[in-house]
Structures are given as C-alpha cells and as structure tokens.
Amino acid sequence: MVRVRLWRGGKKKQPIYRIVVADSRAARNGKYIEAIGQYNPGEHPVVIGVQEDRLFLWLKRGAQPSDTVRSLLQRKGLWLRWG
C-alpha cells in the first residue's frame, strides 16, 4: 500500500520533515517514491508547504495519509478541499 507520510531530517533536537509518498513497508527514513512537501515545526508560526496538485494526484490514485499527515492537511485546510 502507498502512504503519504513524514520523512525526518535535520539535526538532533531540530527536526525538519519532508512529506513523502512511500511504500508502507519501507523504513521511516528509507526509500520513497516522491517528496511532495515540507513541515518545519521549529519555526513560529509552523511552516507547512505542500505541492497540492501532486498531493491530490496521489490521493486520487489511492495513497493513504498517515494520521500525522492528515492532521497537518486539516490544519492547512487541504483535507476539506480533498473531501
């Protein structure tokens, strides 16, 4: 199954996450199909950037977002536009 989830990067205690499309069997920081956005919780206000056209394309193809990614999409208002 294909999932939209977070890929952790950055330094120790200073994470920066990529929003990626990956096979659900791959490791958290393993291989991914495509990077479609970024989430930086260290900035104030929090930075959430997503390529909306690519996100909607993958959701249309059947990719399932993780719970965390779904909450980020809800915070940004994209989940309502998808539904």
Side-chain angles (χ1 to χ4, degrees), residues 32-46:
Y32 59 86
I33 300 168
E34 181 180 5
I36 59 172
Q38 183 174 343
Y39 166 55
N40 188 350
E43 296 285 325
H44 294 286
V46 172

Side-chain angles (χ1 to χ4, degrees), residues 15-82:
I16 296 176
Y17 297 94
R18 286 184 186 174
I19 300 171
V20 299
V21 178
D23 189 332
S24 62
R25 296 169 291 182
R28 179 196 70 187
N29 282 354
K31 217 165 140 179
Y32 59 86
I33 300 168
E34 181 180 5
I36 59 172
Q38 183 174 343
Y39 166 55
N40 188 350
E43 296 285 325
H44 294 286
V46 172
V47 176
I48 304 169
V50 180
Q51 296 175 14
E52 297 175 20
D53 55 339
R54 300 303 294 172
L55 171 69
F56 293 145
L57 174 77
W58 281 106
L59 291 175
K60 197 178 294 183
R61 289 181 180 176
Q64 296 294 314
S66 67
D67 294 337
T68 307
V69 170
R70 183 179 292 125
S71 71
L72 292 174
L73 296 176
Q74 287 171 347
R75 185 188 290 184
K76 187 137 171 101
L78 295 174
W79 194 247
L80 283 175
R81 290 197 347 197
W82 167 247

Side-chain angles (χ1 to χ4, degrees), residues 5-20:
R5 64 183 188 191
L6 297 177
W7 186 94
R8 190 183 193 282
K11 294 190 261 183
K12 181 172 152 182
K13 304 280 187 179
Q14 297 176 359
I16 296 176
Y17 297 94
R18 286 184 186 174
I19 300 171
V20 299

